[in-house]
Amino acid sequence: MALNGESSSGDVLLEIRNLKTYFELDEGTVRAVNGVDIEIKRGQVVGVVGESGCGKSMTAMSIMRLVPPPGQIAEGEIRFHRPQSGGGTDIIDLADLDANSSDIRNIRGNQISMVFQEPMTALSPVRTVGKQITEAVRLHQKVNNLEAREIAIDALQRVKMPNPAQRMDDYPFQLSGGMRQRAVIAMALACRPQLLIADEPTTALDVTTEAQILDVMRGLQEESGMAILYITHNLGVVAEMAEEVVVMYLGKVVEHTDVESIFYNPKHPYTKGLLNSIPRLENIVQGKKEKLNAIEGMIPSPYKRLQGCAFHPRCPEFMEGVCDQREPELIQLEEGHSVRCHLYE
Ligand code: SF4
């Protein structure tokens, strides 16, 4: 349902407000996404980082309305500022749509696309790469088979697939892992989306192929001006790709700032822990030995609701009587830098 038909203010493309995605299970309620706010501007690359189970992928699935049952959006808004063919934009709340509605199917794969970690989950093994991309194009664009084929070859060219016209007739199993991921990105980009959601798209690849794919994505983003929501557990990839970074822990945003501040001025103890657990380039270059400090403890059981700050059992800066009693709010430290921690109240 469109909220209004007026032009949107500023450059905002997607506003996620107080998003809550829950799974009601016999064992209890899993609050996979528990009150998330994220804003993405046109052409911006926003990185979302955190350990497995922090809710980053489920945030992406909520935007796409692909949350698997019994999960469902329990509360919140996902306001997509959708460009109109005649100019201007209208705002549609994706959280308010039926997950099977034609509205969301028109947006999914067209104006908002997603690339998953494992390309074989996105590609059918029994149809050629070309057939799969042309089908995606014909689903959203009024073009004939020949025109769809040209668009598909162009998309494969844009992701720097070697011999794109020949690759059209290949089945996914005939391609290397890197080529398969290029094909998936080509499929996601064929309709020239305004927003690409990339969920760990290079995690399954070797480092050389990963660097090539990141290079392709950066180039495409600069060329087309699309926004990217880049989900990863890898802070090195965030440094390469993102302008803004959202750090998530147990379904909540715990820190949000620009990429420079995340690396040079992190505030939340969890963000500091993530940074301390990766090697520093200068030490590698200089051959210096460095002790990597893993974050102590484990993410708690998803069924357990902790009193106070969700990070308190693992936090080196834990304050008894404060952190285990009250849940911290997300507070703004300065323009563009927010943190959820009692240390800054
Ligand atoms: Fe650590 Fe307390 Fe801050 Fe939570 S609120 S991150 S436990 S200092």
Side-chain angles (χ1 to χ4, degrees):
M1 177 184 64
L3 297 178
N4 57 47
E6 87 268 17
S7 285
S8 67
S9 56
D11 284 338
V12 176
L13 180 65
L14 192 82
E15 299 167 85
I16 302 174
R17 299 277 174 247
N18 193 32
L19 179 67
K20 296 183 179 177
T21 302
Y22 293 171
F23 289 73
E24 301 289 347
L25 304 172
D26 291 343
E27 297 85 344
T29 303
V30 175
R31 293 166 170 81
V33 181
N34 197 10
V36 162
D37 294 277
I38 300 176
E39 188 174 290
I40 306 167
K41 298 193 177 66
R42 287 180 198 288
Q44 188 180 41
V45 183
V46 176
V48 182
V49 288
E51 294 162 289
S52 299
C54 71
K56 50 193 194 312
S57 292
M58 219 32 85
T59 302
M61 297 299 249
S62 303
I63 299 170
M64 298 298 279
R65 300 305 314 272
L66 290 173
V67 175
Q72 55 179 324
I73 294 177
E75 215 180 305
E77 293 178 334
I78 305 169
R79 292 159 62 92
F80 178 46
H81 295 236
R82 181 170 56 165
Q84 298 297 290
S85 46
T89 56
D90 73 352
I91 304 171
I92 186 165
D93 183 2
L94 305 182
D96 203 30
L97 297 178
D98 183 311
N100 296 313
S101 64
S102 58
D103 273 334
I104 191 69
R105 279 188 275 116
N106 285 337
I107 291 170
R108 202 161 47 205
N110 186 21
Q111 293 168 318
I112 304 179
S113 281
M114 188 159 174
V115 177
F116 297 88
Q117 176 177 338
E118 179 41 69
M120 282 311 264
T121 58
L123 293 169
S124 161
V126 294
R127 299 209 317 283
T128 63
V129 165
K131 188 143 185 60
Q132 296 186 57
I133 303 178
T134 50
E135 273 173 7
V137 171
R138 293 207 67 191
L139 192 64
H140 297 294
Q141 294 184 20
K142 290 192 181 74
V143 290
N144 61 32
N145 264 337
L146 200 62
E147 289 163 331
R149 188 177 164 83
E150 277 166 19
I151 292 171
I153 293 174
D154 175 61
L156 288 172
Q157 237 154 14
R158 289 166 65 215
V159 298
K160 300 197 170 72
M161 177 75 92
N163 303 322
Q166 275 167 267
R167 295 287 83 78
M168 290 281 286
D169 300 321
D170 284 347
Y171 288 88
F173 72 85
Q174 294 175 290
L175 305 179
S176 67
M179 284 159 92
R180 279 202 286 264
Q181 198 56 299
R182 282 174 205 261
V184 171
I185 297 171
M187 192 154 72
L189 297 182
C191 293
R192 299 193 176 252
Q194 278 87 48
L195 174 64
L196 177 72
I197 301 175
D199 188 0
E200 307 263 15
T202 58
T203 304
L205 305 174
D206 62 76
V207 284
T208 312
T209 314
E210 174 178 58
Q212 290 168 352
I213 295 284
L214 290 180
D215 200 39
V216 162
M217 290 183 69
R218 237 189 345 258
L220 291 168
Q221 190 272 331
E222 279 164 17
E223 169 211 308
S224 67
M226 72 181 167
I228 301 180
L229 186 68
Y230 201 105
I231 293 167
T232 179
H233 64 279
N234 185 336
L235 282 161
V237 170
V238 162
E240 284 263 320
M241 294 293 294
E243 296 155 51
E244 279 196 20
V245 184
V246 172
V247 183
M248 286 185 69
Y249 188 76
L250 272 192
K252 286 186 187 289
V253 174
V254 295
E255 186 157 5
H256 182 179
T257 187
D258 60 86
V259 69
E260 210 157 288
S261 302
I262 278 291
F263 286 94
Y264 296 110
N265 188 24
K267 295 296 186 194
H268 197 281
Y270 179 60
T271 314
K272 292 180 194 173
L274 288 177
L275 287 163
N276 284 336
S277 60
I278 55 169
R280 285 173 197 282
L281 182 62
E282 64 260 29
N283 289 337
I284 297 172
V285 171
Q286 291 164 18
K288 277 192 200 161
K289 283 194 179 156
E290 180 185 12
K291 186 170 175 266
L292 298 179
N293 299 303
I295 300 172
E296 299 230 335
M298 307 278 288
I299 290 193
S301 156
Y303 306 115
K304 202 167 159 185
R305 285 205 82 184
L306 290 169
Q307 189 174 349
C309 170
F311 188 55
H312 85 255
R314 307 174 72 189
C315 181
E317 300 184 60
F318 166 68
M319 297 174 286
E320 202 174 340
V322 179
C323 300
D324 53 356
Q325 295 301 316
R326 258 187 319 116
E327 193 183 335
E329 298 289 327
L330 193 68
I331 50 171
Q332 187 165 335
L333 298 177
E334 55 190 340
E335 178 82 37
H337 196 161
S338 313
V339 66
R340 188 186 297 277
C341 175
H342 288 310
L343 291 171
Y344 303 97
E345 283 170 357

Short mmCIF file of all heavy atoms in Angstrom, two decimals, residues 105-134:
data_model
loop_
_atom_site.label_atom_id
_atom_site.label_comp_id
_atom_site.label_asym_id
_atom_site.label_seq_id
_atom_site.Cartn_x
_atom_site.Cartn_y
_atom_site.Cartn_z
N ARG A 105 6.07 -8.55 -5.27
CA ARG A 105 6.71 -9.30 -6.36
C ARG A 105 7.20 -8.36 -7.46
O ARG A 105 8.19 -8.63 -8.12
CB ARG A 105 5.75 -10.36 -6.91
CG ARG A 105 5.77 -11.61 -6.02
CD ARG A 105 5.02 -12.78 -6.58
NE ARG A 105 3.61 -12.70 -6.26
CZ ARG A 105 2.64 -12.56 -7.14
NH1 ARG A 105 2.93 -12.50 -8.43
NH2 ARG A 105 1.39 -12.50 -6.77
N ASN A 106 6.51 -7.23 -7.63
CA ASN A 106 6.98 -6.24 -8.62
C ASN A 106 8.23 -5.52 -8.15
O ASN A 106 9.04 -5.07 -8.97
CB ASN A 106 5.89 -5.18 -8.86
CG ASN A 106 4.79 -5.74 -9.73
OD1 ASN A 106 5.01 -6.70 -10.46
ND2 ASN A 106 3.60 -5.17 -9.63
N ILE A 107 8.40 -5.40 -6.85
CA ILE A 107 9.58 -4.70 -6.30
C ILE A 107 10.77 -5.65 -6.21
O ILE A 107 11.89 -5.31 -6.57
CB ILE A 107 9.23 -4.12 -4.91
CG1 ILE A 107 8.23 -2.97 -5.06
CG2 ILE A 107 10.48 -3.65 -4.18
CD1 ILE A 107 7.62 -2.48 -3.76
N ARG A 108 10.49 -6.88 -5.74
CA ARG A 108 11.54 -7.88 -5.51
C ARG A 108 12.16 -8.32 -6.82
O ARG A 108 11.46 -8.71 -7.74
CB ARG A 108 10.90 -9.06 -4.79
CG ARG A 108 11.82 -9.92 -4.03
CD ARG A 108 11.10 -10.77 -3.01
NE ARG A 108 9.91 -11.44 -3.52
CZ ARG A 108 8.88 -11.81 -2.75
NH1 ARG A 108 8.88 -11.57 -1.46
NH2 ARG A 108 7.86 -12.43 -3.27
N GLY A 109 13.49 -8.22 -6.92
CA GLY A 109 14.17 -8.64 -8.15
C GLY A 109 14.11 -7.58 -9.23
O GLY A 109 14.69 -7.75 -10.30
N ASN A 110 13.42 -6.48 -8.95
CA ASN A 110 13.27 -5.42 -9.93
C ASN A 110 13.86 -4.12 -9.36
O ASN A 110 14.94 -3.68 -9.77
CB ASN A 110 11.78 -5.27 -10.26
CG ASN A 110 11.52 -4.30 -11.36
OD1 ASN A 110 12.41 -4.02 -12.15
ND2 ASN A 110 10.32 -3.76 -11.42
N GLN A 111 13.15 -3.53 -8.37
CA GLN A 111 13.67 -2.31 -7.75
C GLN A 111 14.59 -2.61 -6.57
O GLN A 111 15.45 -1.82 -6.23
CB GLN A 111 12.50 -1.42 -7.33
CG GLN A 111 11.74 -0.90 -8.55
CD GLN A 111 10.42 -0.26 -8.18
OE1 GLN A 111 9.69 -0.76 -7.34
NE2 GLN A 111 10.11 0.85 -8.82
N ILE A 112 14.35 -3.74 -5.91
CA ILE A 112 15.26 -4.19 -4.85
C ILE A 112 15.66 -5.64 -5.16
O ILE A 112 14.79 -6.49 -5.34
CB ILE A 112 14.57 -4.16 -3.46
CG1 ILE A 112 14.03 -2.76 -3.15
CG2 ILE A 112 15.56 -4.59 -2.37
CD1 ILE A 112 13.31 -2.66 -1.81
N SER A 113 16.96 -5.88 -5.27
CA SER A 113 17.43 -7.23 -5.58
C SER A 113 18.33 -7.73 -4.46
O SER A 113 18.88 -6.93 -3.71
CB SER A 113 18.24 -7.24 -6.88
OG SER A 113 17.38 -7.22 -7.97
N MET A 114 18.50 -9.03 -4.43
CA MET A 114 19.33 -9.60 -3.36
C MET A 114 20.30 -10.62 -3.93
O MET A 114 19.95 -11.39 -4.82
CB MET A 114 18.42 -10.23 -2.32
CG MET A 114 19.16 -10.68 -1.09
SD MET A 114 18.02 -10.85 0.31
CE MET A 114 19.13 -11.55 1.52
N VAL A 115 21.52 -10.60 -3.40
CA VAL A 115 22.52 -11.62 -3.76
C VAL A 115 22.85 -12.37 -2.48
O VAL A 115 23.18 -11.77 -1.46
CB VAL A 115 23.81 -10.96 -4.31
CG1 VAL A 115 24.85 -12.02 -4.61
CG2 VAL A 115 23.50 -10.16 -5.56
N PHE A 116 22.75 -13.69 -2.55
CA PHE A 116 22.97 -14.51 -1.36
C PHE A 116 24.40 -15.03 -1.32
O PHE A 116 25.15 -14.97 -2.30
CB PHE A 116 22.01 -15.70 -1.35
CG PHE A 116 20.57 -15.28 -1.28
CD1 PHE A 116 19.85 -15.02 -2.44
CD2 PHE A 116 19.93 -15.14 -0.06
CE1 PHE A 116 18.52 -14.62 -2.37
CE2 PHE A 116 18.61 -14.75 0.01
CZ PHE A 116 17.90 -14.49 -1.15
N GLN A 117 24.75 -15.62 -0.16
CA GLN A 117 26.11 -16.13 0.04
C GLN A 117 26.44 -17.27 -0.93
O GLN A 117 27.50 -17.31 -1.52
CB GLN A 117 26.22 -16.62 1.49
CG GLN A 117 27.54 -17.26 1.81
CD GLN A 117 27.61 -17.65 3.28
OE1 GLN A 117 26.89 -17.12 4.11
NE2 GLN A 117 28.47 -18.58 3.59
N GLU A 118 25.50 -18.19 -1.06
CA GLU A 118 25.79 -19.39 -1.84
C GLU A 118 25.04 -19.31 -3.18
O GLU A 118 23.82 -19.43 -3.20
CB GLU A 118 25.36 -20.62 -1.00
CG GLU A 118 25.56 -21.96 -1.67
CD GLU A 118 26.86 -22.10 -2.44
OE1 GLU A 118 27.93 -22.15 -1.82
OE2 GLU A 118 26.78 -22.17 -3.69
N PRO A 119 25.77 -19.09 -4.29
CA PRO A 119 25.07 -18.89 -5.56
C PRO A 119 24.19 -20.05 -5.98
O PRO A 119 23.18 -19.85 -6.65
CB PRO A 119 26.21 -18.67 -6.57
CG PRO A 119 27.47 -19.02 -5.88
CD PRO A 119 27.22 -18.97 -4.41
N MET A 120 24.54 -21.27 -5.55
CA MET A 120 23.74 -22.42 -5.99
C MET A 120 22.33 -22.39 -5.39
O MET A 120 21.42 -23.03 -5.90
CB MET A 120 24.43 -23.74 -5.64
CG MET A 120 25.57 -24.09 -6.59
SD MET A 120 25.13 -23.95 -8.35
CE MET A 120 24.73 -25.64 -8.72
N THR A 121 22.13 -21.63 -4.28
CA THR A 121 20.77 -21.53 -3.74
C THR A 121 19.94 -20.57 -4.57
O THR A 121 18.72 -20.61 -4.54
CB THR A 121 20.77 -21.05 -2.27
OG1 THR A 121 21.43 -19.79 -2.23
CG2 THR A 121 21.44 -22.01 -1.33
N ALA A 122 20.60 -19.68 -5.32
CA ALA A 122 19.85 -18.70 -6.11
C ALA A 122 19.66 -19.17 -7.55
O ALA A 122 18.82 -18.65 -8.27
CB ALA A 122 20.58 -17.36 -6.10
N LEU A 123 20.47 -20.15 -7.97
CA LEU A 123 20.40 -20.61 -9.37
C LEU A 123 19.76 -22.00 -9.43
O LEU A 123 20.07 -22.86 -8.60
CB LEU A 123 21.80 -20.68 -9.97
CG LEU A 123 22.52 -19.35 -10.17
CD1 LEU A 123 23.99 -19.60 -10.52
CD2 LEU A 123 21.86 -18.53 -11.28
N SER A 124 18.92 -22.20 -10.43
CA SER A 124 18.40 -23.54 -10.65
C SER A 124 19.48 -24.37 -11.34
O SER A 124 20.08 -23.90 -12.31
CB SER A 124 17.15 -23.46 -11.53
OG SER A 124 16.90 -24.73 -12.08
N PRO A 125 19.74 -25.58 -10.86
CA PRO A 125 20.80 -26.40 -11.50
C PRO A 125 20.38 -26.95 -12.86
O PRO A 125 21.22 -27.43 -13.62
CB PRO A 125 21.02 -27.52 -10.48
CG PRO A 125 19.75 -27.62 -9.71
CD PRO A 125 19.12 -26.26 -9.72
N VAL A 126 19.08 -26.91 -13.18
CA VAL A 126 18.62 -27.59 -14.40
C VAL A 126 18.27 -26.61 -15.54
O VAL A 126 17.76 -27.02 -16.57
CB VAL A 126 17.39 -28.49 -14.10
CG1 VAL A 126 17.77 -29.63 -13.20
CG2 VAL A 126 16.24 -27.70 -13.50
N ARG A 127 18.56 -25.32 -15.34
CA ARG A 127 18.31 -24.36 -16.43
C ARG A 127 19.57 -23.56 -16.68
O ARG A 127 20.37 -23.31 -15.77
CB ARG A 127 17.14 -23.42 -16.08
CG ARG A 127 15.89 -24.25 -15.88
CD ARG A 127 14.58 -23.59 -16.18
NE ARG A 127 14.42 -22.26 -15.72
CZ ARG A 127 14.16 -21.92 -14.46
NH1 ARG A 127 14.11 -22.85 -13.53
NH2 ARG A 127 13.98 -20.67 -14.14
N THR A 128 19.79 -23.18 -17.93
CA THR A 128 21.01 -22.45 -18.25
C THR A 128 21.00 -21.08 -17.59
O THR A 128 19.94 -20.54 -17.26
CB THR A 128 21.16 -22.26 -19.78
OG1 THR A 128 20.06 -21.46 -20.22
CG2 THR A 128 21.21 -23.58 -20.52
N VAL A 129 22.21 -20.55 -17.43
CA VAL A 129 22.36 -19.23 -16.83
C VAL A 129 21.57 -18.20 -17.63
O VAL A 129 20.84 -17.36 -17.07
CB VAL A 129 23.87 -18.88 -16.82
CG1 VAL A 129 24.09 -17.40 -16.55
CG2 VAL A 129 24.58 -19.72 -15.78
N GLY A 130 21.67 -18.29 -18.96
CA GLY A 130 20.99 -17.30 -19.81
C GLY A 130 19.48 -17.36 -19.63
O GLY A 130 18.81 -16.33 -19.53
N LYS A 131 18.94 -18.57 -19.55
CA LYS A 131 17.49 -18.72 -19.40
C LYS A 131 17.03 -18.10 -18.08
O LYS A 131 16.00 -17.42 -18.03
CB LYS A 131 17.13 -20.21 -19.46
CG LYS A 131 15.66 -20.50 -19.50
CD LYS A 131 15.36 -21.69 -20.40
CE LYS A 131 13.88 -21.95 -20.57
NZ LYS A 131 13.16 -20.86 -21.17
N GLN A 132 17.84 -18.30 -17.04
CA GLN A 132 17.44 -17.78 -15.73
C GLN A 132 17.49 -16.26 -15.70
O GLN A 132 16.62 -15.61 -15.10
CB GLN A 132 18.34 -18.38 -14.65
CG GLN A 132 18.14 -19.89 -14.57
CD GLN A 132 18.89 -20.55 -13.43
OE1 GLN A 132 18.71 -20.19 -12.28
NE2 GLN A 132 19.72 -21.53 -13.76
N ILE A 133 18.48 -15.68 -16.35
CA ILE A 133 18.55 -14.20 -16.32
C ILE A 133 17.45 -13.62 -17.22
O ILE A 133 16.77 -12.66 -16.83
CB ILE A 133 19.94 -13.68 -16.76
CG1 ILE A 133 21.03 -14.29 -15.87
CG2 ILE A 133 20.00 -12.15 -16.69
CD1 ILE A 133 22.45 -13.89 -16.23
N THR A 134 17.24 -14.20 -18.39
CA THR A 134 16.21 -13.65 -19.28
C THR A 134 14.81 -13.79 -18.67
O THR A 134 13.98 -12.90 -18.82
CB THR A 134 16.22 -14.32 -20.68
OG1 THR A 134 16.22 -15.72 -20.50
CG2 THR A 134 17.40 -13.92 -21.50
#
